[in-house]
Amino acid sequence: MDLQKTDVLVIGAGAVGAMALWQLSKREGVSVVGIEQYGRVHSHGSYAGESRVFRTAVHEGGTYVRMIQRSRDLWRELERESGRDIYYEVGALSIAPEGFPDLVTALGTVREFDLPHRVLSDSELRKEYPQHLIQDGDIGLFDEHGGGLRPEVAIMSALDIAEKNGAKLFFNTPVIGVEEHPGGVVVRTTQGSWLAGKVVVASGSWSTRLSPELNELLRLQVLGLTWFMPRDPAAFAPDRFPAFLRDQGPVHFFGAPSFDGYAFKACTNPEWPVFRDVAEVPTSHTREELIKIGQRAAELFDGINPEPVRQSVHHCAYTPDRLPVVDQSTSGRIVTVTGLSGHGFKFIPQLGEWAAQLVAGDDTTVDPRFALPAHMQRLAQLGAYTGGGH
Ligand SMILES: Cc1cc2nc3c(=O)[nH]c(=O)nc-3n(C[C@H](O)[C@H](O)[C@H](O)COP(=O)(O)OP(=O)(O)OC[C@H]3O[C@@H](n4cnc5c(N)ncnc54)[C@H](O)[C@@H]3O)c2cc1C
């Protein structure tokens, strides 16, 4: 077999892969290759869809705060290095009835970590954010460091810089096999094979195809995106309308301000089942789902047309407890980062930095609960995958 050689090879140039390539490419004297099954910045990845909500006031509690704070610095660094706008620090507003459990946890997080925030009553919300239709007894948590991220711009920027720093990137090249050998890792692609000293597997929703040991741990959840046209688009522009999370009864909505000047993103998810493989995931909402989402959106936002003007359906690899997988094989040669569970875009710069540190054998601050054996232990306690909901 004719093998091309590299020190490090990254499989997948999506969210995690792009950040790992950016970080690895900064290291002197290390040859770096990235291999992606689609083109540069495509529409099939879990990152696709114009914007991602960035929050420091996470309702998942303190687990993620340090990762998000480090990522915030790295998002700024990526903006400086690329000269592009990626992180719109317009704030993130969570609105829910007082006492709603996720909001209570988020309030606990901002207080514990002293994160800049404001708490707004129902009347303050109505005055400051008339775009939101507020129920009596709602409260708002405004996360000052929150906002919107531009995922496609972020990935393009990280890949461009990695390439400028000397990384070699190959697109439209699916990886079809990964095997550890005493002399390195053989990575087989549709366009030939590589021998790599170390490999970072960042293949997102496709992870189980290359790493069957993840079969029982990961499931694909479906996440739909919808955009609505307000009668007054200026009121939904980033300078007046923060990223948001809304909870009302069983309905959860999330979204971002208008980046295109005519529509803003407001999404909720129908009761989709979980899937095992990308090939099984639906590719569009049904007409009935879109009508229902539109009706719900019209109950939450003032002056909007209830017909979604844009919509798309995506997938993401979830673990049962939504903690990501950050794992290094026993030999140390293969680092796997996946299972970002529908909320991981905000901290991908930290994951990319950790991947590069693990490859180099540097000290890291990776939470030991993210290692695969720890995940499998928790899964064994559960008995089977029980994740569900977003
Ligand atoms: C609709 C939606 C909304 C979300 N909203 C938020 C949010 O508001 N805030 C937030 O923080 N997070 C959010 N997330 C989560 C976040 O966007 C994802 O968790 C994250 O993008 C996953 O990154 P990844 O690198 O694991 O996967 P991806 O970004 O999908 O990257 C995987 C890459 O690997 C490539 N690949 C796979 N297999 C192979 C192979 N065999 N050979 C070569 N290449 C391969 C793929 O083509 C892809 O480019 C959301 C996710 C979705 C789907």
Side-chain angles (χ1 to χ4, degrees):
M1 196 169 21
D2 199 14
L3 294 173
Q4 302 179 77
K5 296 203 172 93
T6 181
D7 294 329
V8 188
L9 188 148
V10 177
I11 301 174
V16 171
M19 295 299 139
L21 284 161
W22 173 42
Q23 293 295 330
L24 285 161
S25 73
K26 295 181 188 191
R27 299 197 171 231
E28 290 286 318
V30 180
S31 57
V32 180
V33 161
I35 300 193
E36 165 58 47
Q37 63 182 347
Y38 294 112
R40 185 190 301 254
V41 188
H42 54 83
S43 57
H44 309 277
S46 300
Y47 61 79
E50 188 186 76
S51 58
R52 289 290 180 266
V53 178
F54 182 84
R55 292 175 293 135
T56 56
V58 282
H59 60 237
E60 294 89 343
T63 305
Y64 299 102
V65 173
R66 304 247 180 269
M67 293 166 70
I68 293 169
Q69 284 176 325
R70 175 63 186 147
S71 294
R72 185 168 173 265
D73 293 343
L74 291 169
W75 284 123
R76 288 286 181 235
E77 194 175 310
L78 185 60
E79 287 193 314
R80 277 195 302 277
E81 283 189 34
S82 66
R84 293 182 179 130
D85 293 330
I86 295 167
Y87 167 34
Y88 287 72
E89 198 171 2
V90 294
L93 181 62
S94 300
I95 301 175
E98 191 162 10
F100 184 76
D102 284 353
L103 200 61
V104 172
T105 329
L107 275 165
T109 305
V110 292
R111 284 173 185 146
E112 183 185 346
F113 291 89
D114 203 17
L115 303 171
H117 71 281
R118 284 191 316 133
V119 178
L120 293 98
S121 67
D122 48 8
S123 53
E124 286 167 327
L125 282 167
R126 284 188 187 112
K127 197 162 152 239
E128 289 190 39
Y129 299 105
Q131 307 90 332
H132 287 277
L133 297 172
I134 299 297
Q135 303 266 315
D136 289 344
D138 276 349
I139 61 161
L141 169 60
F142 184 74
D143 171 0
E144 290 180 19
H145 286 171
L149 293 163
R150 309 293 311 271
E152 288 88 352
V153 183
I155 288 160
M156 177 71 89
S157 302
L159 295 179
D160 285 355
I161 297 170
E163 212 166 28
K164 208 168 87 202
N165 290 347
K168 291 195 168 40
L169 307 183
F170 297 85
F171 295 100
N172 300 307
T173 306
V175 170
I176 49 178
V178 181
E179 291 141 30
E180 275 202 61
H181 292 270
V185 185
V186 174
V187 176
R188 286 186 297 113
T189 82
T190 52
Q191 327 266 336
S193 297
W194 288 84
L195 178 67
K198 302 271 174 76
V199 166
V200 176
V201 185
S203 50
S205 296
W206 294 261
S207 296
T208 51
R209 290 190 185 174
L210 289 177
S211 316
E213 67 276 14
L214 296 169
N215 259 334
E216 293 317 310
L217 180 68
L218 297 183
R219 290 291 179 277
L220 302 185
Q221 292 208 23
V222 188
L223 292 103
L225 301 178
T226 36
W227 285 258
F228 293 91
M229 280 178 75
R231 292 254 143 51
D232 176 12
F236 289 79
D239 59 337
R240 287 170 63 188
F241 188 69
F244 65 86
L245 283 91
R246 295 229 24 201
D247 285 282
Q248 211 176 74
V251 179
H252 173 73
F253 257 77
F254 64 96
S258 175
F259 288 114
D260 58 18
Y262 75 96
F264 76 108
K265 189 177 185 179
C267 327
T268 190
N269 282 290
E271 293 289 311
W272 279 306
V274 296
F275 296 94
R276 280 181 177 261
D277 191 85
V278 174
E280 304 164 357
V281 176
T283 52
S284 178
H285 295 88
T286 63
R287 189 69 209 132
E288 291 69 33
E289 285 163 353
L290 290 176
I291 290 171
K292 211 157 143 190
I293 295 169
Q295 285 166 347
R296 286 177 174 169
E299 288 161 15
L300 294 175
F301 301 97
D302 190 40
I304 66 157
N305 185 30
E307 175 67 25
V309 71
R310 279 198 275 150
Q311 65 93 23
S312 53
V313 170
H314 308 265
H315 43 73
C316 190
Y318 277 62
T319 62
D321 53 16
R322 302 184 70 187
L323 296 180
V325 176
V326 182
D327 186 68
Q328 191 160 27
S329 65
T330 321
S331 68
R333 289 194 186 276
I334 302 182
V335 173
T336 303
V337 185
T338 183
L340 274 60
S341 303
H343 61 182
F345 196 86
K346 58 182 80 59
F347 50 70
I348 53 165
Q350 169 71 95
L351 296 177
E353 185 176 62
W354 278 343
Q357 289 168 342
L358 288 168
V359 158
D362 296 348
D363 288 341
T364 73
T365 54
V366 181
D367 188 323
R369 290 175 302 163
F370 299 170
L372 189 53
H375 273 287
M376 296 314 281
Q377 213 175 358
R378 292 195 300 277
L379 183 66
Q381 282 158 8
L382 280 175
Y385 184 96
T386 55
H390 299 281

mmCIF file of all heavy atoms in Angstrom, residues 315-349:
data_model
loop_
_atom_site.group_PDB
_atom_site.id
_atom_site.type_symbol
_atom_site.label_atom_id
_atom_site.label_comp_id
_atom_site.label_asym_id
_atom_site.label_seq_id
_atom_site.Cartn_x
_atom_site.Cartn_y
_atom_site.Cartn_z
ATOM 1 N N HIS A 315 -28.977 17.609 12.114
ATOM 2 C CA HIS A 315 -28.827 16.519 13.088
ATOM 3 C C HIS A 315 -27.564 16.781 13.900
ATOM 4 O O HIS A 315 -26.688 17.540 13.479
ATOM 5 C CB HIS A 315 -28.691 15.173 12.363
ATOM 6 C CG HIS A 315 -27.772 15.250 11.181
ATOM 7 N ND1 HIS A 315 -26.403 15.354 11.288
ATOM 8 C CD2 HIS A 315 -28.050 15.297 9.848
ATOM 9 C CE1 HIS A 315 -25.881 15.439 10.085
ATOM 10 N NE2 HIS A 315 -26.847 15.417 9.187
ATOM 11 N N CYS A 316 -27.527 16.158 15.057
ATOM 12 C CA CYS A 316 -26.340 16.321 15.900
ATOM 13 C C CYS A 316 -26.185 15.049 16.733
ATOM 14 O O CYS A 316 -27.179 14.447 17.136
ATOM 15 C CB CYS A 316 -26.524 17.543 16.801
ATOM 16 S SG CYS A 316 -25.028 18.025 17.689
ATOM 17 N N ALA A 317 -24.948 14.643 16.998
ATOM 18 C CA ALA A 317 -24.701 13.447 17.815
ATOM 19 C C ALA A 317 -24.828 13.803 19.294
ATOM 20 O O ALA A 317 -24.177 14.734 19.777
ATOM 21 C CB ALA A 317 -23.302 12.905 17.521
ATOM 22 N N TYR A 318 -25.688 13.074 20.003
ATOM 23 C CA TYR A 318 -25.949 13.325 21.427
ATOM 24 C C TYR A 318 -25.445 12.155 22.273
ATOM 25 O O TYR A 318 -25.582 10.995 21.881
ATOM 26 C CB TYR A 318 -27.460 13.439 21.695
ATOM 27 C CG TYR A 318 -28.069 14.795 21.431
ATOM 28 C CD1 TYR A 318 -28.050 15.349 20.162
ATOM 29 C CD2 TYR A 318 -28.699 15.503 22.455
ATOM 30 C CE1 TYR A 318 -28.634 16.587 19.916
ATOM 31 C CE2 TYR A 318 -29.292 16.741 22.216
ATOM 32 C CZ TYR A 318 -29.257 17.279 20.943
ATOM 33 O OH TYR A 318 -29.841 18.495 20.703
ATOM 34 N N THR A 319 -24.944 12.479 23.453
ATOM 35 C CA THR A 319 -24.728 11.468 24.494
ATOM 36 C C THR A 319 -25.928 11.554 25.444
ATOM 37 O O THR A 319 -26.620 12.577 25.462
ATOM 38 C CB THR A 319 -23.431 11.748 25.286
ATOM 39 O OG1 THR A 319 -23.565 13.018 25.932
ATOM 40 C CG2 THR A 319 -22.198 11.760 24.382
ATOM 41 N N PRO A 320 -26.185 10.514 26.254
ATOM 42 C CA PRO A 320 -27.378 10.556 27.111
ATOM 43 C C PRO A 320 -27.392 11.751 28.061
ATOM 44 O O PRO A 320 -28.446 12.344 28.296
ATOM 45 C CB PRO A 320 -27.312 9.248 27.896
ATOM 46 C CG PRO A 320 -26.439 8.357 27.100
ATOM 47 C CD PRO A 320 -25.483 9.232 26.344
ATOM 48 N N ASP A 321 -26.221 12.124 28.626
ATOM 49 C CA ASP A 321 -26.217 13.245 29.581
ATOM 50 C C ASP A 321 -25.708 14.542 28.945
ATOM 51 O O ASP A 321 -25.472 15.526 29.644
ATOM 52 C CB ASP A 321 -25.402 12.900 30.834
ATOM 53 C CG ASP A 321 -24.002 12.412 30.511
ATOM 54 O OD1 ASP A 321 -23.543 12.613 29.355
ATOM 55 O OD2 ASP A 321 -23.357 11.825 31.397
ATOM 56 N N ARG A 322 -25.554 14.514 27.637
ATOM 57 C CA ARG A 322 -25.152 15.681 26.834
ATOM 58 C C ARG A 322 -23.736 16.185 27.132
ATOM 59 O O ARG A 322 -23.354 17.266 26.680
ATOM 60 C CB ARG A 322 -26.170 16.825 26.956
ATOM 61 C CG ARG A 322 -27.564 16.392 26.512
ATOM 62 C CD ARG A 322 -28.555 17.536 26.525
ATOM 63 N NE ARG A 322 -28.292 18.500 25.470
ATOM 64 C CZ ARG A 322 -28.938 19.655 25.347
ATOM 65 N NH1 ARG A 322 -29.861 19.985 26.206
ATOM 66 N NH2 ARG A 322 -28.658 20.487 24.370
ATOM 67 N N LEU A 323 -22.944 15.414 27.896
ATOM 68 C CA LEU A 323 -21.527 15.781 28.037
ATOM 69 C C LEU A 323 -20.810 15.340 26.778
ATOM 70 O O LEU A 323 -21.088 14.259 26.251
ATOM 71 C CB LEU A 323 -20.900 15.091 29.253
ATOM 72 C CG LEU A 323 -21.435 15.458 30.640
ATOM 73 C CD1 LEU A 323 -20.702 14.687 31.730
ATOM 74 C CD2 LEU A 323 -21.313 16.957 30.902
ATOM 75 N N PRO A 324 -19.875 16.147 26.258
ATOM 76 C CA PRO A 324 -19.185 15.742 25.027
ATOM 77 C C PRO A 324 -18.219 14.588 25.281
ATOM 78 O O PRO A 324 -17.823 14.339 26.426
ATOM 79 C CB PRO A 324 -18.412 17.007 24.637
ATOM 80 C CG PRO A 324 -18.205 17.742 25.917
ATOM 81 C CD PRO A 324 -19.405 17.430 26.778
ATOM 82 N N VAL A 325 -17.836 13.909 24.210
ATOM 83 C CA VAL A 325 -16.779 12.904 24.283
ATOM 84 C C VAL A 325 -15.469 13.588 23.894
ATOM 85 O O VAL A 325 -15.370 14.169 22.816
ATOM 86 C CB VAL A 325 -17.047 11.735 23.297
ATOM 87 C CG1 VAL A 325 -15.894 10.747 23.300
ATOM 88 C CG2 VAL A 325 -18.371 11.059 23.602
ATOM 89 N N VAL A 326 -14.488 13.553 24.801
ATOM 90 C CA VAL A 326 -13.122 14.001 24.480
ATOM 91 C C VAL A 326 -12.233 12.883 24.993
ATOM 92 O O VAL A 326 -12.010 12.755 26.202
ATOM 93 C CB VAL A 326 -12.764 15.341 25.165
ATOM 94 C CG1 VAL A 326 -11.357 15.783 24.762
ATOM 95 C CG2 VAL A 326 -13.776 16.419 24.830
ATOM 96 N N ASP A 327 -11.754 12.052 24.075
ATOM 97 C CA ASP A 327 -11.127 10.802 24.483
ATOM 98 C C ASP A 327 -9.814 10.597 23.738
ATOM 99 O O ASP A 327 -9.681 11.001 22.587
ATOM 100 C CB ASP A 327 -12.083 9.645 24.154
ATOM 101 C CG ASP A 327 -11.568 8.329 24.691
ATOM 102 O OD1 ASP A 327 -11.548 8.189 25.933
ATOM 103 O OD2 ASP A 327 -11.154 7.475 23.883
ATOM 104 N N GLN A 328 -8.873 9.948 24.426
ATOM 105 C CA GLN A 328 -7.604 9.590 23.777
ATOM 106 C C GLN A 328 -7.437 8.083 23.900
ATOM 107 O O GLN A 328 -7.598 7.523 24.998
ATOM 108 C CB GLN A 328 -6.447 10.307 24.476
ATOM 109 C CG GLN A 328 -5.140 10.200 23.712
ATOM 110 C CD GLN A 328 -4.152 11.284 24.125
ATOM 111 O OE1 GLN A 328 -4.212 11.773 25.256
ATOM 112 N NE2 GLN A 328 -3.243 11.649 23.232
ATOM 113 N N SER A 329 -7.128 7.415 22.781
ATOM 114 C CA SER A 329 -7.000 5.948 22.814
ATOM 115 C C SER A 329 -5.830 5.560 23.720
ATOM 116 O O SER A 329 -4.947 6.380 24.017
ATOM 117 C CB SER A 329 -6.782 5.401 21.405
ATOM 118 O OG SER A 329 -5.541 5.857 20.907
ATOM 119 N N THR A 330 -5.801 4.301 24.134
ATOM 120 C CA THR A 330 -4.777 3.846 25.087
ATOM 121 C C THR A 330 -3.372 4.117 24.554
ATOM 122 O O THR A 330 -2.471 4.512 25.306
ATOM 123 C CB THR A 330 -4.948 2.326 25.332
ATOM 124 O OG1 THR A 330 -6.345 2.057 25.384
ATOM 125 C CG2 THR A 330 -4.283 1.868 26.601
ATOM 126 N N SER A 331 -3.162 3.948 23.255
ATOM 127 C CA SER A 331 -1.838 4.201 22.672
ATOM 128 C C SER A 331 -1.513 5.688 22.644
ATOM 129 O O SER A 331 -0.366 6.072 22.425
ATOM 130 C CB SER A 331 -1.807 3.682 21.225
ATOM 131 O OG SER A 331 -2.666 4.496 20.437
ATOM 132 N N GLY A 332 -2.534 6.524 22.806
ATOM 133 C CA GLY A 332 -2.339 7.977 22.724
ATOM 134 C C GLY A 332 -2.402 8.492 21.294
ATOM 135 O O GLY A 332 -2.328 9.697 21.059
ATOM 136 N N ARG A 333 -2.547 7.599 20.320
ATOM 137 C CA ARG A 333 -2.459 8.042 18.918
ATOM 138 C C ARG A 333 -3.759 8.622 18.364
ATOM 139 O O ARG A 333 -3.731 9.393 17.417
ATOM 140 C CB ARG A 333 -2.035 6.865 18.024
ATOM 141 C CG ARG A 333 -0.581 6.453 18.211
ATOM 142 C CD ARG A 333 -0.189 5.552 17.054
ATOM 143 N NE ARG A 333 1.151 4.990 17.210
ATOM 144 C CZ ARG A 333 2.266 5.621 16.859
ATOM 145 N NH1 ARG A 333 2.206 6.836 16.376
ATOM 146 N NH2 ARG A 333 3.433 5.018 16.998
ATOM 147 N N ILE A 334 -4.905 8.189 18.920
ATOM 148 C CA ILE A 334 -6.185 8.669 18.363
ATOM 149 C C ILE A 334 -6.958 9.486 19.407
ATOM 150 O O ILE A 334 -7.247 8.995 20.497
ATOM 151 C CB ILE A 334 -7.057 7.492 17.872
ATOM 152 C CG1 ILE A 334 -6.298 6.680 16.810
ATOM 153 C CG2 ILE A 334 -8.389 7.993 17.319
ATOM 154 C CD1 ILE A 334 -7.086 5.531 16.214
ATOM 155 N N VAL A 335 -7.251 10.726 19.036
ATOM 156 C CA VAL A 335 -8.062 11.596 19.901
ATOM 157 C C VAL A 335 -9.433 11.740 19.232
ATOM 158 O O VAL A 335 -9.508 12.080 18.048
ATOM 159 C CB VAL A 335 -7.397 12.988 20.050
ATOM 160 C CG1 VAL A 335 -8.313 13.954 20.792
ATOM 161 C CG2 VAL A 335 -6.054 12.857 20.767
ATOM 162 N N THR A 336 -10.490 11.436 19.974
ATOM 163 C CA THR A 336 -11.843 11.520 19.414
ATOM 164 C C THR A 336 -12.618 12.607 20.141
ATOM 165 O O THR A 336 -12.665 12.619 21.381
ATOM 166 C CB THR A 336 -12.582 10.167 19.596
ATOM 167 O OG1 THR A 336 -11.797 9.150 18.960
ATOM 168 C CG2 THR A 336 -13.965 10.184 18.975
ATOM 169 N N VAL A 337 -13.212 13.520 19.373
ATOM 170 C CA VAL A 337 -14.052 14.574 19.972
ATOM 171 C C VAL A 337 -15.385 14.567 19.240
ATOM 172 O O VAL A 337 -15.445 14.819 18.029
ATOM 173 C CB VAL A 337 -13.394 15.969 19.864
ATOM 174 C CG1 VAL A 337 -14.246 17.006 20.596
ATOM 175 C CG2 VAL A 337 -11.978 15.960 20.425
ATOM 176 N N THR A 338 -16.443 14.245 19.957
ATOM 177 C CA THR A 338 -17.766 14.172 19.326
ATOM 178 C C THR A 338 -18.839 14.298 20.406
ATOM 179 O O THR A 338 -18.534 14.630 21.556
ATOM 180 C CB THR A 338 -17.907 12.839 18.538
ATOM 181 O OG1 THR A 338 -19.177 12.827 17.868
ATOM 182 C CG2 THR A 338 -17.830 11.612 19.444
ATOM 183 N N GLY A 339 -20.112 14.058 20.014
ATOM 184 C CA GLY A 339 -21.209 14.060 20.998
ATOM 185 C C GLY A 339 -21.466 15.436 21.581
ATOM 186 O O GLY A 339 -21.714 15.574 22.785
ATOM 187 N N LEU A 340 -21.428 16.478 20.745
ATOM 188 C CA LEU A 340 -21.588 17.850 21.276
ATOM 189 C C LEU A 340 -23.046 18.159 21.639
ATOM 190 O O LEU A 340 -23.364 19.228 22.158
ATOM 191 C CB LEU A 340 -21.035 18.892 20.283
ATOM 192 C CG LEU A 340 -19.535 19.164 20.405
ATOM 193 C CD1 LEU A 340 -18.689 17.922 20.184
ATOM 194 C CD2 LEU A 340 -19.086 20.260 19.459
ATOM 195 N N SER A 341 -23.928 17.222 21.361
ATOM 196 C CA SER A 341 -25.276 17.175 21.958
ATOM 197 C C SER A 341 -26.113 18.442 21.801
ATOM 198 O O SER A 341 -26.795 18.867 22.733
ATOM 199 C CB SER A 341 -25.152 16.802 23.446
ATOM 200 O OG SER A 341 -24.477 15.572 23.599
ATOM 201 N N GLY A 342 -26.021 19.061 20.639
ATOM 202 C CA GLY A 342 -26.912 20.187 20.333
ATOM 203 C C GLY A 342 -26.602 21.477 21.053
ATOM 204 O O GLY A 342 -27.317 22.464 20.882
ATOM 205 N N HIS A 343 -25.526 21.503 21.861
ATOM 206 C CA HIS A 343 -25.210 22.768 22.557
ATOM 207 C C HIS A 343 -23.722 23.094 22.556
ATOM 208 O O HIS A 343 -23.280 23.963 23.286
ATOM 209 C CB HIS A 343 -25.764 22.753 23.993
ATOM 210 C CG HIS A 343 -25.208 21.653 24.867
ATOM 211 N ND1 HIS A 343 -25.608 21.461 26.170
ATOM 212 C CD2 HIS A 343 -24.292 20.690 24.629
ATOM 213 C CE1 HIS A 343 -24.968 20.438 26.691
ATOM 214 N NE2 HIS A 343 -24.162 19.955 25.776
ATOM 215 N N GLY A 344 -22.953 22.378 21.714
ATOM 216 C CA GLY A 344 -21.501 22.483 21.846
ATOM 217 C C GLY A 344 -20.807 23.495 20.969
ATOM 218 O O GLY A 344 -19.594 23.680 21.097
ATOM 219 N N PHE A 345 -21.548 24.191 20.076
ATOM 220 C CA PHE A 345 -20.822 25.080 19.171
ATOM 221 C C PHE A 345 -20.096 26.169 19.946
ATOM 222 O O PHE A 345 -18.977 26.543 19.616
ATOM 223 C CB PHE A 345 -21.758 25.706 18.121
ATOM 224 C CG PHE A 345 -20.986 26.291 16.985
ATOM 225 C CD1 PHE A 345 -20.595 25.511 15.914
ATOM 226 C CD2 PHE A 345 -20.575 27.617 17.008
ATOM 227 C CE1 PHE A 345 -19.824 26.035 14.883
ATOM 228 C CE2 PHE A 345 -19.799 28.151 15.996
ATOM 229 C CZ PHE A 345 -19.429 27.355 14.930
ATOM 230 N N LYS A 346 -20.753 26.657 20.997
ATOM 231 C CA LYS A 346 -20.183 27.791 21.741
ATOM 232 C C LYS A 346 -18.798 27.473 22.298
ATOM 233 O O LYS A 346 -17.973 28.343 22.423
ATOM 234 C CB LYS A 346 -21.140 28.242 22.857
ATOM 235 C CG LYS A 346 -21.474 27.147 23.850
ATOM 236 C CD LYS A 346 -22.458 27.609 24.921
ATOM 237 C CE LYS A 346 -23.893 27.616 24.495
ATOM 238 N NZ LYS A 346 -24.425 26.295 24.063
ATOM 239 N N PHE A 347 -18.542 26.185 22.612
ATOM 240 C CA PHE A 347 -17.223 25.880 23.202
ATOM 241 C C PHE A 347 -16.299 25.066 22.288
ATOM 242 O O PHE A 347 -15.335 24.473 22.756
ATOM 243 C CB PHE A 347 -17.364 25.260 24.605
ATOM 244 C CG PHE A 347 -18.321 24.089 24.738
ATOM 245 C CD1 PHE A 347 -18.024 22.853 24.186
ATOM 246 C CD2 PHE A 347 -19.496 24.236 25.458
ATOM 247 C CE1 PHE A 347 -18.893 21.781 24.335
ATOM 248 C CE2 PHE A 347 -20.385 23.170 25.611
ATOM 249 C CZ PHE A 347 -20.076 21.940 25.047
ATOM 250 N N ILE A 348 -16.553 25.098 20.961
ATOM 251 C CA ILE A 348 -15.633 24.359 20.067
ATOM 252 C C ILE A 348 -14.200 24.891 20.076
ATOM 253 O O ILE A 348 -13.270 24.097 19.907
ATOM 254 C CB ILE A 348 -16.145 24.236 18.608
ATOM 255 C CG1 ILE A 348 -16.513 25.597 18.026
ATOM 256 C CG2 ILE A 348 -17.274 23.201 18.506
ATOM 257 C CD1 ILE A 348 -16.679 25.589 16.509
ATOM 258 N N PRO A 349 -13.968 26.204 20.298
ATOM 259 C CA PRO A 349 -12.556 26.609 20.338
ATOM 260 C C PRO A 349 -11.792 25.899 21.467
ATOM 261 O O PRO A 349 -10.642 25.494 21.287
ATOM 262 C CB PRO A 349 -12.625 28.122 20.576
ATOM 263 C CG PRO A 349 -13.958 28.528 20.022
ATOM 264 C CD PRO A 349 -14.868 27.386 20.360
#
